[in-house]
Amino acid sequence: MTIDPQRAKALYLAALEASDPAARREFLDQQCADDNALRQRVEAFLTAHDTVTGFDAEPSDLAPVSALELRAQLSPGTIIAGRYKLIEEIGEGGMGSVWVAEQKEPVKRKVAVKLVKAGMDSRQVLGRFDAERQALAMMDHPNIAKVFDGGMTEQERPYFVMEYVKGVPLTEYCDQARLSLKERLQLFISVCQAVQHAHQKGIIHRDLKPSNILICLYDGRPVPKVIDFGLAKAMHQSLTDQSLYTAHGMMVGTPLYMSPEQAEHNNLDVDTRTDIYSLGVILYELLTGGTPLERQQMKQAAYIEILRLIKEVEPPKPSTRLSSSQNLPSIAAQRRIEPNQLKRSLTGDLDWIVMKALDKERSRRYETANGLARDVERFLNDEAVEACPPSPAYRLKKFIRRNRAMVTAVSAVAAALVIGIIGFAWQARVASYQRDLADKARASEAEQRQLVSNERDRAILAQKAESEQRMLADAARVEAENQKEAAKKAEKVASDIGKQAVNNLYIWVTEVEEKLRDRPDLADLREELVKTGIDGLKTIDGLAKDAGTAGQAFRTMGVAFQRMGDILEGKGMTAEAFRSYEQSLELFERLAKEEPNNDWIPWNFAVSYDKLGAMSQEFHGDATTARDYYRKSLALRQGLAARIQTPEIPASRRGIALSASYIKLADLGLTVGDPIEAREFAAKALQETDKLLATDPQVAAASQFRSMAIYLLGKISAHLTNELSASRKYFQESIDMRQKAVDADSNNTDSRRELGAVYDSLGDLELEQHNAAEALKAYQRAFEQYEWLNQKDANSAYDQWYLGHSYYRQGRAKLELSDAEGATQDFSQSLELRETLAKNDPKSVQMKAELMLAQARCGLSAQAAEAAENVRNLAPKNPGVLYTAACGFSLCLPAIAADKEPQSPANQALRDRCVQSAVDALEQAIGLGYRDVEALRLDPDLAPIRALPAFQNVIRKLEEGVDK
């Protein structure tokens, strides 16, 4: 049967308008009831083409082929052009498919190969395909996929070879990585620069959307790649020798991201500003999590309604959309910001940048993609942006244009009303004016009569007032002299008493600090400090406030409580130390109200916040509270660093304190399994220390913090990107810097601790890669430093903790080297030290977690399992401690297997409980944000459960979450 091509074309176009599959089937049932061959022909077109965005080839131009032929695909293993071996199909569109292929020569590499589908070799399809290849070939930009080769296959199917971009769509990556607004905007700027490059080459993309902007990681840094120029249009030249046009009335692009001019029936009149509109939609989605026109509304709308929505409906501002969104909390969480703060951040500049890009009138949009990028950069730099809200006149013009008939009618009625009101008002005003003239005339006559009577009275009153004023002035002079003399006497008395009280307080605090280092009854002495100090402050506050000495006293006591906390913490009295730091905060809060411009107040505030953050993390197992304290400290230090002049605190000292805050937050990010946040803060610390050293290379503390930042980047490289060579390079650079500091001052305890910590991390890296011999060498180098520190101060709980940790690490390496005896000795030494530390500080969650691991390694499975459960219950919101608890449960399994009766019901029940508890603890940590996949893959403490299906299920879920 001969098929009428014009009827097939008409049916195809009409079926496209019915976006709902059920509606499309009903339409074809009615139109093709008597012609099954025609129905199969139209269904074949619909199967082969993108039914959402439309297909701009005319069906009548396509050769008659069956649906089976249209679906024909190449298979993996096929060789293209003798040098491209197809591996896997990764994409399919209306006219072609994309494969990952292995290039054999002249270089070996993975590439992407795009081929025209079988049966799709019409004149229009070949023209589109060749246009995309030519468009890509013309461009050379790091954020646009490159073309390497092209030609015809043995089956006469055109193909071209391009850069293989392995990534995820822009919006998906931003949400999965929980990028902040600033990070999202920085990625968006790179996208704009890529689009600008295409425009400079005379190419309009016409189908910009998140799925055509893939994010790839290069050296751990996200890089956007713009792909799919299948709908690209040239502005000044032809992209292909093929005859190429867009069918009248066909949409080109994706409706959600399509500009109003693309939705016109004659969409030939598009220019680069159509891509600006699409960029505006993408920016809207990056900020709010949704597109200006809602997806559900577009899915349910018919073809004509979709066109109307695109061309006429004004979208709400981003901040307005968020205000009405039920998903605001989750959207804000994906951007690591509070919901109300997110709305405030969008209100104003970002709103108007987006709405300028989305203006229905393209003459009001940004002229270039670079213009849009520059306005975003201005926002990030806190500069004035070019975008601004539309004027009232413009909004009125838009309203009149949308409601012309109604406005005309209302205007006519309003004009008549105005004319009538004006006439009535004029008559009323004339009558009122005449009444006022008569009233004023009568009032003037009465006033004239009253003036004559009052003149005499005023003269008498003036004489009396003058006499009374002379008497009052004399009395005031006498009173002022008396008060001045009394004030001088009171001020001198208060000043003398206040100065003496402050001096006595200084002397007393100094004596207390000296006693603290020798007296064993620290708790009693601390209470003495609290009582005497507070009493002294009350005296000073009451007697010397006006003399200016109260602030000095409060500052003295605040610092005294900080020092008291340091000494108590060093002696293992963590609860008392925590309370001392809290009391220092109370004093600084009081002082901040009285001396708001004193730079030392925020400086001391930050110190106390740091102390409380460290204790919350290490002793209470509360990572959330620790992060809050550290971020408060960071905010204060950022404020101090931003000041141009702070004479009391030099710029170098402010920069060092700021670097310290970045280091603390980076280290906490690694501890709780959030390496992405850790990398962000470590990079800022490195940037800040480099800036300090560029100004003054002799700043020792800057070198120390730079070494710590490099050390943390080494740990992050191993756990975030698994770049072992980069990780080793970072560790070696940090070792060189810290060894130089130790060589310069062998008694520098901080440098020795830090040197030992880097060797420990290097050993961990080698052990995770099963290089146990190299790991043991690194652990032994660390042990040398900790042993020296303990010999210098045998009572330091801090250095005893490091020593116990070092024994534990060496034991793990010896176990890997089959030195069971040596491992047992090291684990026993670690257990002994940790038992002592836990006994001296029974409230420390960290100490309990360390003791638990040592118990498990020493075969004390029942005690270790009980300790692990206790640790898990003490810190249910700390992902780092929960991870350690899971390691403890895991290490119980070898101890159970080594028991005399491993298969006994009690041991089997204990084994099953440990496996389930380990999995539960890990899932709990992941639910709190733990994302360190590499730790789960490589940590030796998890080796006993790594092969179990339950653990494999946990790691698979975590990998899927990270990959998204």
Side-chain angles (χ1 to χ4, degrees):
M1 179 184 293
T2 303
I3 297 174
D4 180 3
Q6 294 302 321
R7 187 180 176 200
K9 175 183 176 181
L11 286 173
Y12 168 73
L13 295 175
L16 277 181
E17 292 187 13
S19 58
D20 180 65
R24 186 176 296 128
R25 284 194 300 272
E26 182 180 354
F27 171 78
L28 292 178
D29 286 340
Q30 295 172 355
Q31 298 297 323
C32 304
D34 58 344
D35 194 341
N36 191 49
L38 178 60
R39 180 189 176 111
Q40 291 179 354
R41 179 81 170 104
V42 174
E43 285 182 337
F45 293 145
L46 294 171
T47 302
H49 305 328
D50 181 359
T51 60
V52 177
T53 62
F55 184 72
D56 59 351
E58 294 189 15
S60 58
D61 291 337
L62 300 176
V65 294
S66 68
L68 181 62
E69 291 173 321
L70 284 170
R71 295 189 185 98
Q73 299 181 359
L74 294 172
S75 59
T78 304
I79 305 296
I80 301 295
R83 58 184 178 277
Y84 302 110
K85 181 181 178 181
L86 301 187
I87 299 174
E88 177 187 5
E89 186 178 15
I90 57 172
E92 182 179 7
M95 64 182 179
S97 59
V98 182
W99 290 73
V100 178
E102 182 180 359
Q103 181 178 345
K104 299 294 185 181
E105 57 182 31
V107 294
K108 291 185 177 181
R109 59 183 171 185
K110 278 189 177 181
V111 295
V113 177
K114 188 166 187 175
L115 304 102
V116 169
K117 287 183 180 178
M120 293 290 100
D121 50 352
S122 70
R123 174 168 47 85
Q124 284 296 98
V125 172
L126 292 177
R128 281 275 171 235
F129 192 83
D130 192 40
E132 179 179 9
R133 180 172 60 189
Q134 294 300 325
L136 285 169
M138 292 170 63
M139 291 178 282
D140 182 15
H141 193 275
N143 299 117
I144 298 178
K146 295 180 174 60
V147 167
F148 298 142
D149 194 5
M152 300 287 286
T153 68
E154 289 76 1
Q155 295 80 20
E156 298 297 319
R157 292 170 65 179
Y159 75 91
F160 65 87
V161 182
M162 55 187 170
E163 177 184 358
Y164 172 46
V165 179
K166 184 180 181 182
V168 294
L170 173 64
T171 50
E172 287 185 28
Y173 174 83
C174 290
D175 289 344
Q176 291 163 10
R178 296 175 65 240
L179 296 191
S180 64
L181 285 181
K182 180 179 179 181
E183 292 166 330
R184 291 167 186 253
L185 293 175
Q186 288 170 339
L187 280 180
F188 179 74
I189 289 171
S190 298
V191 174
C192 290
Q193 291 167 345
V195 174
Q196 178 70 24
H197 177 79
H199 290 173
Q200 289 173 336
K201 295 294 184 179
I203 304 299
I204 309 171
H205 191 286
R206 294 203 299 179
D207 195 20
L208 288 171
K209 52 187 176 183
S211 60
N212 283 342
I213 303 168
L214 301 183
I215 302 299
C216 314
L217 291 179
Y218 292 93
D219 295 329
R221 184 174 64 89
V223 176
K225 289 279 188 177
V226 181
I227 63 169
D228 198 350
F229 281 76
L231 297 181
K233 174 183 177 181
M235 292 184 285
H236 309 303
Q237 76 277 354
S238 174
L239 290 175
T240 176
D241 294 333
Q242 299 278 352
S243 176
L244 182 61
Y245 69 96
T246 301
H248 180 76
M250 296 298 294
M251 280 198 293
V252 177
T254 304
L256 281 171
Y257 302 88
M258 183 183 296
S259 67
E261 57 267 27
Q262 280 182 276
E264 295 290 346
H265 284 289
N266 180 9
N267 55 22
L268 298 176
D269 182 26
V270 297
D271 55 26
T272 56
R273 290 170 293 184
T274 197
D275 283 347
I276 304 300
Y277 185 93
S278 300
L279 287 171
V281 179
I282 294 169
L283 179 56
Y284 195 105
E285 189 170 3
L286 284 172
L287 298 176
T288 69
T291 50
L293 298 175
E294 296 186 7
R295 293 180 185 273
Q296 191 61 30
Q297 182 184 16
M298 295 289 276
K299 285 181 180 179
Q300 296 172 352
Y303 178 74
I304 298 301
E305 176 63 9
I306 290 174
L307 295 181
R308 187 193 70 80
L309 291 172
I310 295 171
K311 291 187 289 185
E312 298 180 9
V313 173
E314 295 288 347
K317 293 181 293 185
S319 60
T320 304
R321 168 65 60 82
L322 282 179
S323 298
S324 60
S325 175
Q326 296 179 347
N327 300 324
L328 176 58
S330 61
I331 293 170
Q334 288 174 333
R335 288 150 182 79
R336 305 206 310 272
I337 191 173
E338 293 294 327
N340 290 333
Q341 188 178 355
L342 176 59
K343 288 191 293 185
R344 289 195 299 270
S345 298
L346 300 191
T347 302
D349 289 349
L350 281 179
D351 271 342
W352 300 123
I353 289 173
V354 173
M355 299 311 289
K356 181 177 177 68
L358 292 178
D359 204 294
K360 300 293 185 186
E361 293 186 19
R362 55 184 166 179
S363 62
R364 293 177 58 82
R365 295 177 207 153
Y366 291 96
E367 291 292 328
T368 64
N370 266 356
L372 172 55
R374 281 196 296 271
D375 232 9
V376 174
E377 286 178 336
R378 291 186 190 101
F379 170 79
L380 291 175
N381 295 329
D382 294 324
E383 299 173 0
V385 301
E386 182 182 296
C388 60
S391 65
Y394 176 74
R395 290 199 297 269
L396 178 61
K397 183 178 72 173
K398 295 282 285 186
F399 177 80
I400 293 173
R401 184 176 299 173
R402 290 197 304 270
N403 306 277
R404 192 180 302 277
M406 181 187 73
V407 171
T408 302
V410 170
S411 299
V413 173
L417 287 173
V418 168
I419 292 171
I421 290 169
I422 291 173
F424 178 79
W426 175 254
Q427 292 175 354
R429 185 173 181 182
V430 169
S432 176
Y433 181 69
Q434 290 173 346
R435 285 195 300 271
D436 289 345
L437 285 177
D439 291 341
K440 287 179 180 179
R442 287 192 294 270
S444 177
E445 183 179 352
E447 287 175 2
Q448 289 294 331
R449 288 195 300 269
Q450 188 66 31
L451 282 174
V452 175
S453 173
N454 290 342
E455 190 65 32
R456 291 189 298 273
D457 295 339
R458 277 198 294 272
I460 295 170
L461 290 174
Q463 291 173 356
K464 289 182 178 180
E466 183 179 355
S467 175
E468 289 176 356
Q469 286 175 355
R470 283 197 300 269
M471 292 172 64
L472 289 172
D474 292 340
R477 279 194 297 272
V478 173
E479 179 65 21
E481 290 174 359
N482 291 338
Q483 289 181 353
K484 187 175 181 181
E485 186 65 26
K488 286 181 180 179
K489 291 179 180 179
E491 183 177 347
K492 185 176 187 306
V493 171
S495 178
D496 292 343
I497 295 174
K499 288 176 181 177
Q500 184 60 43
V502 170
N503 186 51
N504 292 341
L505 192 60
Y506 270 120
I507 296 170
W508 184 83
V509 167
T510 304
E511 291 175 351
V512 168
E513 288 189 68
E514 292 175 356
K515 293 176 183 178
L516 282 172
R517 304 188 185 280
D518 301 320
R519 283 179 53 173
D521 53 335
L522 294 176
D524 293 340
L525 191 58
R526 181 192 174 279
E527 294 308 316
E528 184 182 337
L529 172 64
V530 173
K531 184 178 183 305
T532 308
I534 297 301
D535 289 344
L537 288 175
K538 287 179 180 177
T539 302
I540 294 168
D541 192 31
L543 296 176
K545 186 173 182 179
D546 294 334
T549 55
Q552 188 179 14
F554 275 94
R555 190 157 52 248
T556 300
M557 286 300 298
V559 174
F561 275 120
Q562 283 180 349
R563 293 174 183 169
M564 170 72 83
D566 293 342
I567 296 169
L568 291 167
E569 183 182 353
K571 300 294 185 181
M573 301 175 67
T574 55
E576 292 81 359
F578 195 88
R579 182 57 187 146
S580 287
Y581 293 138
E582 286 184 323
Q583 285 173 317
S584 73
L585 272 185
E586 293 170 8
L587 291 166
F588 293 136
E589 286 172 357
R590 167 70 183 273
L591 189 56
K593 297 176 183 177
E594 299 184 3
E595 299 184 31
N597 298 319
N598 188 333
D599 292 333
W600 280 111
I601 308 307
W603 178 268
N604 283 310
F605 254 132
V607 172
S608 292
Y609 279 135
D610 276 350
K611 302 287 187 182
L612 289 168
M615 296 200 70
S616 297
Q617 176 186 350
E618 296 176 11
F619 297 103
H620 295 171
D622 190 347
T624 302
T625 301
R627 183 175 285 164
D628 289 343
Y629 279 132
Y630 286 152
R631 285 182 171 167
K632 287 178 181 178
S633 173
L634 174 62
L636 290 167
R637 287 170 174 170
Q638 285 175 328
L640 285 171
R643 299 188 189 181
I644 298 174
Q645 289 184 344
T646 52
E648 293 184 354
I649 310 172
S652 60
R653 194 172 178 188
R654 285 179 277 139
I656 290 167
L658 183 59
S659 302
S661 285
Y662 287 139
I663 290 292
K664 289 179 188 297
L665 283 164
D667 187 51
L668 180 62
L670 268 180
T671 302
V672 300
D674 190 351
I676 293 176
E677 181 177 271
R679 178 179 58 187
E680 175 187 345
F681 285 116
K684 288 180 178 179
L686 185 60
Q687 180 182 2
E688 185 65 30
T689 53
D690 283 343
K691 184 170 68 175
L692 287 170
L693 290 170
T695 305
D696 184 0
Q698 303 304 317
V699 181
S703 298
Q704 179 186 6
F705 283 127
R706 185 177 189 277
S707 171
M708 294 175 71
I710 292 170
Y711 159 61
L712 288 171
L713 288 169
K715 295 179 71 172
I716 293 164
S717 295
H719 282 249
L720 183 62
T721 61
N722 199 19
E723 295 180 358
L724 302 181
S725 59
S727 182
R728 288 191 178 96
K729 181 180 177 183
Y730 280 129
F731 285 149
Q732 191 57 54
E733 184 177 355
S734 184
I735 286 171
D736 292 343
M737 293 179 69
R738 293 179 176 187
Q739 186 63 59
K740 187 181 296 184
V742 171
D743 292 341
D745 180 6
S746 61
N747 290 316
N748 189 327
T749 55
D750 287 337
S751 295
R752 286 188 178 273
R753 287 191 195 99
E754 292 160 8
L755 180 59
V758 186
Y759 274 123
D760 274 341
S761 294
L762 178 59
D764 290 345
L765 176 65
E766 298 294 355
L767 190 60
E768 288 169 354
Q769 300 303 314
H770 304 292
N771 301 326
E774 293 299 319
L776 184 58
K777 289 179 183 178
Y779 290 150
Q780 288 172 341
R781 295 295 300 275
F783 182 80
E784 293 172 4
Q785 305 304 320
Y786 303 143
E787 194 173 37
W788 184 94
L789 289 165
N790 275 272
Q791 289 174 356
K792 183 176 178 63
D793 184 2
N795 295 320
S796 171
Y798 198 51
D799 291 324
Q800 286 177 359
W801 181 86
Y802 272 110
L803 191 64
H805 216 49
S806 188
Y807 275 123
Y808 183 81
R809 280 183 159 100
Q810 289 182 83
R812 291 198 309 181
K814 290 177 182 178
L815 204 60
E816 189 82 8
L817 292 169
S818 301
D819 182 4
E821 182 179 354
T824 301
Q825 291 176 355
D826 284 335
F827 287 141
S828 297
Q829 291 280 4
S830 175
L831 177 61
E832 183 179 345
L833 279 168
R834 289 174 173 179
E835 282 178 335
T836 302
L837 291 170
K839 182 178 179 180
N840 291 338
D841 189 6
K843 297 180 181 180
S844 170
V845 175
Q846 186 67 34
M847 294 302 180
K848 291 179 180 178
E850 298 288 347
L851 176 60
M852 166 200 67
L853 294 177
Q855 288 172 333
R857 284 291 190 183
C858 289
L860 304 175
S861 55
Q863 294 95 316
E866 183 180 354
E869 197 65 48
N870 187 28
V871 166
R872 182 180 166 197
N873 293 331
L874 284 173
K877 295 184 179 180
N878 189 320
V881 174
L882 290 168
Y883 173 87
T884 304
C887 292
F889 285 122
S890 170
L891 291 173
C892 288
L893 301 190
I896 295 170
D899 191 77
K900 295 178 181 179
E901 298 181 3
Q903 301 301 323
S904 68
N907 275 332
Q908 284 300 305
L910 180 59
R911 181 189 182 281
D912 293 342
R913 180 164 68 88
C914 287
V915 171
Q916 188 59 49
S917 296
V919 170
D920 290 345
L922 287 175
E923 289 182 339
Q924 197 175 351
I926 291 168
L928 291 170
Y930 191 91
R931 294 292 180 270
D932 197 341
V933 180
E934 291 301 312
L936 268 67
R937 289 181 180 141
L938 302 173
D939 193 333
D941 288 347
L942 292 174
I945 64 170
R946 190 163 287 127
L948 298 179
F951 179 84
Q952 289 295 318
N953 187 44
V954 170
I955 198 169
R956 183 174 65 254
K957 288 180 182 178
L958 180 55
E959 287 174 334
E960 289 173 355
V962 173
D963 290 342
K964 289 179 182 178

